[in-house]
Structures are given as structure tokens and as C-alpha cells.
Amino acid sequence: MRIQRKVGILLSVATLSLGVAGCSGGDNGNNAGGNNTAANDTATTNNTATTNDTTNNAATNAPAEEEAGTVSDLKITAFNWGWDNPDPAKDIVLPELTKRLGLNSLTYDVIKTGSYDDVVQKLQLWASTGGSDWPDFVATGADGKTKLILNNMGESGKLEDLTPWLEKYPNVKKAVEKLLPFSTNPHDGKLYSIPQNFSNMQAYAIDQPTIWIRKDWLDKVNLGYPKTVDEFYNALKAFKDQIKDVNGQPVVPYSAFGENFRNMINLFFPPGQNGGTGVWYTDADGKAARSDVTQPENLIRALTFYNKLYNEGLIEKESFSLKQGQIDEKGNQGRIGALHGAYWEMANPYTDNMKKTDPNAQFVGIQLYDPAIAQGPSLPQFRLEAWSLWAVKAGLPKEEVNTFFKTLDYVLSEEGTILTKYGIEGQQWERNADGKIVDTKAFFDETQGDWNKRAHLGIDVYSFIPNYEALIKNQAPSGYEMREDMIETWKNLGSKFPTEYISDPQRYVDPGDVENKMTVGQSERYKQLVAKAVTAKTPEEITKLVEDWGKSIRALGYDKVVEERTEAAKSVNLDSLK
């Protein structure tokens, strides 16, 4: 659950879980292993369809002669590696969804795994057996390895080409069409997967500002919000010199590294090329380039900055061995002056805990920049991406596949969206004076907005493909949007939302075979580079480490990856972003 939530904050706590589900490829899923007996005739299905707004339900739009019929039982499969599932004794959404679809039974089959890597391994195992164990309808992750597996399965005839079904269900196609250029198999132009959960610029608030900083501490040392890395250094120095301790414990000016070792290194690279390592972009010659290899001077400057913080005691000596739980303990105690991370995991919970003893305590997000490469901060650009994918086993009866797409189509309707995202009117939700959907008092008291507790009732589990228009239309501002610290944060960032899409095709290229082999163990190697550089004794030592890093990357096959990525980018169609 935590892994997914790093993707983004959506319209509210409820909408947030949509993004959560998608990143994993697991909160929602499908696997049609159900009965294939055609029980619901077309008339019954169409009667169900007419309960939806005709503009939202493709079942009423599909030509009658193309109607394939339906089945009475449908089984869908989902992967899950850490968040809560619906409680069959409490689930109110699945029975109601089953009834509205006119089905006899709708089964939600969950495959629990220990990690996301386990999901990929499971897919590889299914593929190695020729797809015999592949579920009929399944939601997977959306990483490059998974896409490669799905496309290979499709090319070998084991997965359905979904293009014809999207033509029959234009509302499903409309919902996912911006992502179809990135889902299409570059080898044969077919669609062996379609996005399940995915990002949306209009409903995707910025969730990870460059840095979170104690506003009340800035007030105490008579400083405003820092805007440059140098001003940030000055603030940390003031925290160390002027705020001696908290309840007898020494303060931590900046909680850096730990399990989140990448931290702020992206600040020292140009926008669009910023990630410190492993971020690919298109260079002036139209070729793929990796920021840490082609811009060693920026990496040196970043590591030198952190080396300075380390040597002056502005970050802890044990920074590289810290576990998140240790950072959380200090944050909740009010001992940390600044940190990097997502608001829901760190800044907001820390603020809430600190306010129990210090009403003025508050973390606020800011955006920094390095004057050596930029004239000022810039709004984050938006990368359109799927967080999970649907795949359909080849050779299934058309009635069964048709029932699956009717299910997707109904969930995409406004009526279906409200049911799957919020539950039953009067029980879980009601409308406020502005006509927007809010939790009933009883439901909020029961769950306190916690996604996992809501999931026990099936809330936001069966939302499958999101209808952002319906969500924006119906949902009231969330508690997070109304928080004083978040309002202040969005002022500092300039906006709650990104303003434009990333248009560099390299940001949409999935790693190929050459890159996947080359980058095995890269994360650990990069962590070692950072640790050695930040604790280095001299500037020359940092420079040597970065030079050796670049040589190592090139020796592992960097030039071959450049060729692979440059060629792959030719098949990336960005017209959908216009």
C-alpha cells in the first residue's frame, strides 16, 4: 500500500486510493475462470445498461449486430502484496455490483504475493508454462518487464488482442486512449493489455515537493522559505546553531538518506533530465542519454553539497543506516527540521503528532532550485502513465469477454463510479450542501478516511478503470486539501497540479533486454556511490568516484542501451498528449 501511494495524491483520500490501486496493479483485477454458460440474454443486459447515463455506458452504444451475449458468472483476478482486501462478511460493494450487472456471481480472486518482484516472477512462471495457468482476466503491474512478458505472450497467441473490443466499447476506449500509444506492442501493433488504473493531470495533485521544512523553526530563526539550495543550507545551519534541542534531545537539521537515499539529488540536474541517476532523456542529437553519465559535473555538484552537509553535522552520521521507523520516531518527536518524502507518510503525520504538544509545529512543502542550472523553480511536468494493466487470455468464449468489458463499461459510468468509489448512498456517503459527495458521519467515524478500513467494505477496490470526470464532478474537497499545511505548500509550489505533459519520448520508453541486463544491481551500486561520496575526505575523491561511476556504466554496455533506447523511442507516439 505504501509503495503505491508514492505515485500521487488524487482528489481526496478516496480518490487517492485509486492511484494507490493502480500503481500496484493489484487493488483491482480480473481473471475470468468462471462458468461459460450464457445465462443473461441480450435484453436483460440492455435493461441493466439503461440504468446508466447513455453517454457513460458503451453497452448502449455498441451496434446490436455486434452484441456477443453474456455469461452469468464472471471471475476476475488481482495481485496483492501488502494492503487490505475486502472482508466477505462486510463487503457491500461486490454484491451490489453483481446485482446491477445482472450477474449470478462475480468473483474477485486475490493472489497475494510478498512483493512486486514476486508478481513479475509469477507472470514469468505462467509464461514459461505456455500460459496454461494464466488467469482468464487479470490485472498486472505496468512496469517494463511486465509489458515485455505480456507482449511476448500476445505474440505467441496466448493473450487476446483487445483492439476489437475497444472498438465495441468506445467509452472504455475513450477512458484509456491517451495511454494506448504506450500500451501498443511495437512489434505487431496489437494491444495485449490496456491500462487499469492510471494517472490524470486534472485529478493528480503534486504529492512530493522537493523538500518539507519546519515553518515554525524558520519563524524562530527569522528566515523565510528557502528557494535555492544555498538558502536551504543557510536554514539548516540556523536550525543547528539556534535550536539546540527538543525535550532534551538533539535536533536533526535535515533527515537525509536512510532508506530514501536518492533524496534531493535531482535538484542539481536540468528539469526533464533530473533524477541523479538512471533518468533518460533525448539529447541535442536526438539520441538517448542518461543524466548521470552525460552530466557528471551535475552529479559531482550534488554529491559535494551533501558531503558539506554531512561534514558540518547537518545530516546525521548514521544517515545511511537509518530505517524509516527511526526517522519516523524523530519526526513525530519534533526533532527534524527538514526532510524529503511524501506528505501522507511523513510530513502530515509528523505535524499531527507534534501538534499534540506544540500547537505551532508544522511541516510545509517548498520547491528549491540550483542557481547554477536554473533561474528559478519550475512546476513539475506530468508523465502520463499506467499503474496497472488488464490482460485477457486468448481463446475465451466471446460471451465471457463481452461480460468482462460490460463490467468495465459499467464501472466507468457515473453510477458505477459512485458505487465502487463511495459505496451506498445513505450508508457510506451523502451529498453536502453543494451537492458533492462526502462520507456519512457514521462511515467517517468508522474508518477515519483510512483506505484499508474502507477496503474492508469493498470501497475503492472494484473501481477498475477510473472515470475522472465523474470523480471531479461529484467529489468534495478532501480533508487533506483543506489542511493549512497543504494550502501553504501548494502556494509555495505555485499550483496544486502540473501544467503540462512531459513530451520527451525517452521518458516513455520501457527498458529493453539490453538495459534490463545492464541495470541489474544498479540501485545498490548507486547507493554505494552516494555513501562513499558523501563521506569522502576531499573534493578530488568525489570527482574520482563519479568519473569511475561513469566508466563503469559505459563498460556495462551504456552505448548499446543508447542504441536500443534511441530505436525504441521511434515507436513512441506522443500525439495522444496534444
Side-chain angles (χ1 to χ4, degrees):
M1 192 66 184
R2 293 296 183 187
I3 295 174
Q4 297 166 306
R5 286 188 173 174
K6 291 176 182 176
V7 171
I9 166 183
L10 296 179
L11 294 172
S12 75
V13 174
T15 337
L16 168 63
S17 60
L18 180 68
V20 168
C23 182
S24 70
D27 276 322
N28 317 319
N30 314 40
N31 162 21
N35 298 332
N36 295 327
T37 56
N40 295 341
D41 59 25
T42 303
T44 301
T45 304
N46 285 340
N47 286 337
T48 302
T50 57
T51 63
N52 309 325
D53 187 304
T54 56
T55 61
N56 287 323
N57 191 343
T60 62
N61 296 334
E65 65 271 19
E66 296 182 13
E67 183 62 63
T70 58
V71 296
S72 61
D73 301 273
L74 186 68
K75 183 181 180 183
I76 59 180
T77 298
F79 283 101
N80 181 321
W81 61 88
W83 52 96
D84 288 4
N85 291 313
D87 181 342
K90 296 181 178 180
D91 193 340
I92 52 91
V93 174
L94 188 62
E96 181 65 21
L97 180 60
T98 303
K99 182 175 71 173
R100 294 188 189 184
L101 289 167
L103 295 174
N104 180 55
S105 71
L106 176 59
T107 303
Y108 182 69
D109 183 35
V110 176
I111 299 177
K112 287 191 173 183
T113 62
S115 68
Y116 185 73
D117 288 341
D118 293 340
V119 176
V120 177
Q121 290 177 12
K122 186 74 170 179
L123 296 176
Q124 290 173 328
L125 177 62
W126 287 344
S128 70
T129 61
S132 59
D133 296 328
W134 202 278
D136 291 355
F137 306 97
V138 64
T140 71
D143 63 287
K145 290 182 180 179
T146 294
K147 287 182 181 179
L148 184 62
I149 294 170
L150 298 180
N151 284 333
N152 286 340
M153 287 288 290
E155 290 175 26
S156 63
K158 305 300 182 182
L159 294 180
E160 182 94 358
D161 176 12
L162 302 180
T163 307
W165 289 99
L166 291 184
E167 296 306 318
K168 291 183 179 181
Y169 287 88
N171 287 330
V172 178
K173 181 179 179 180
K174 179 182 177 182
V176 302
E177 62 185 351
K178 278 189 177 294
L179 278 157
L180 295 183
F182 312 119
S183 302
T184 302
N185 180 15
H187 297 147
D188 59 17
K190 295 182 179 181
L191 281 170
Y192 299 116
S193 63
I194 59 172
Q196 178 194 215
N197 278 313
F198 47 86
S199 51
N200 176 282
M201 186 153 56
Q202 285 70 44
Y204 190 96
I206 299 166
D207 70 320
Q208 293 199 39
T210 299
I211 204 76
W212 293 92
I213 196 164
R214 286 284 295 273
K215 181 181 184 300
D216 53 312
W217 282 17
L218 289 172
D219 293 339
K220 287 181 180 179
V221 300
N222 295 313
L223 291 175
Y225 292 119
K227 293 182 173 59
T228 68
V229 289
D230 292 332
E231 290 176 358
F232 180 61
Y233 163 80
N234 292 335
L236 299 183
K237 193 79 165 59
F239 291 168
K240 182 175 184 294
D241 294 340
Q242 299 180 46
I243 302 176
K244 296 300 183 183
D245 60 60
V246 175
N247 297 325
Q249 297 292 318
V251 301
V252 180
Y254 177 34
S255 182
F257 306 106
E259 295 174 348
N260 185 20
F261 64 91
R262 292 176 187 269
N263 290 279
M264 286 202 318
I265 288 178
N266 61 335
L267 284 178
F268 296 85
F269 289 81
Q273 303 168 17
N274 55 1
T277 184
V279 173
W280 289 88
Y281 65 98
T282 303
D283 67 15
D285 296 324
K287 294 183 178 180
R290 216 176 91 175
S291 56
D292 56 328
V293 178
T294 60
Q295 303 172 49
E297 69 282 358
N298 293 335
L299 186 54
I300 290 171
R301 190 167 64 256
L303 296 173
T304 300
F305 177 78
Y306 276 103
N307 179 271
K308 179 180 180 180
L309 299 186
Y310 182 85
N311 288 328
E312 295 186 16
L314 302 180
I315 55 178
E316 298 167 285
K317 295 299 183 184
E318 66 269 26
S319 289
F320 295 99
S321 62
L322 287 174
K323 298 298 182 184
Q324 190 58 53
Q326 296 171 297
I327 297 174
D328 290 343
E329 182 179 3
K330 295 171 185 177
N332 290 326
Q333 291 172 350
R335 295 174 54 196
I336 296 175
L339 74 156
H340 179 91
Y343 77 90
W344 60 80
E345 292 182 315
M346 297 178 183
N348 288 172
Y350 294 172
T351 293
D352 293 344
N353 278 298
M354 292 187 298
K355 281 186 177 294
K356 294 174 183 177
T357 56
D358 183 356
N360 296 318
Q362 185 181 80
F363 273 107
V364 171
I366 57 175
Q367 189 177 15
L368 303 177
Y369 68 97
D370 177 8
I373 62 169
Q375 297 300 311
S378 58
L379 283 175
Q381 291 182 313
F382 183 82
R383 184 166 77 96
L384 187 64
E385 60 184 328
W387 300 326
S388 51
L389 303 168
W390 286 117
V392 177
K393 192 173 183 178
L396 299 176
K398 291 189 179 299
E399 294 83 0
E400 192 172 354
V401 181
N402 191 48
T403 305
F404 165 67
F405 271 91
K406 281 184 178 292
T407 300
L408 295 186
D409 196 78
Y410 175 71
V411 170
L412 267 171
S413 72
E414 186 169 337
E415 178 183 287
T417 293
I418 291 174
L419 169 65
T420 54
K421 297 296 293 183
Y422 309 115
I424 307 296
E425 184 174 10
Q427 297 181 29
Q428 287 77 43
W429 65 270
E430 58 190 8
R431 292 193 183 272
N432 63 16
D434 296 323
K436 301 292 187 178
I437 290 177
V438 295
D439 286 352
T440 62
K441 183 179 184 305
F443 187 52
F444 182 81
D445 289 344
E446 176 186 353
T447 63
Q448 295 294 308
D450 183 282
W451 190 92
N452 287 301
K453 292 179 181 178
R454 297 166 69 91
H456 296 165
L457 284 79
I459 304 295
D460 209 15
V461 174
Y462 310 107
S463 49
F464 304 152
I465 293 177
N467 180 340
Y468 284 110
E469 290 182 1
L471 292 172
I472 293 170
K473 172 184 174 182
N474 286 282
Q475 187 159 280
S478 70
Y480 278 110
E481 289 180 280
M482 303 304 291
R483 288 177 63 111
E484 180 184 354
D485 49 6
M486 294 308 300
I487 292 173
E488 187 78 2
T489 293
W490 287 318
K491 286 181 182 177
N492 292 337
L493 297 178
S495 173
K496 189 187 301 182
F497 305 108
T499 58
E500 59 183 14
Y501 290 106
I502 292 175
S503 57
D504 187 333
Q506 279 301 328
R507 298 299 294 273
Y508 298 94
V509 170
D510 290 316
D513 291 338
V514 176
E515 185 175 357
N516 281 326
K517 292 177 182 177
M518 170 189 155
T519 54
V520 172
Q522 175 180 287
S523 180
E524 185 59 33
R525 291 194 300 272
Y526 177 66
K527 187 173 184 178
Q528 292 175 8
L529 165 69
V530 174
K532 291 178 180 178
V534 171
T535 58
K537 302 300 183 183
T538 65
E540 292 75 20
E541 187 179 346
I542 297 174
T543 299
K544 180 69 162 52
L545 285 166
V546 172
E547 289 175 348
D548 289 346
W549 164 264
K551 292 176 182 177
S552 173
I553 297 298
R554 292 186 182 280
L556 287 170
Y558 174 80
D559 291 336
K560 292 183 178 179
V561 178
V562 167
E563 294 177 6
E564 181 180 61
R565 277 188 154 268
T566 301
E567 182 63 30
K570 295 177 182 178
S571 65
V572 174
N573 181 1
L574 297 176
D575 288 342
S576 63
L577 301 182
K578 296 178 180 178

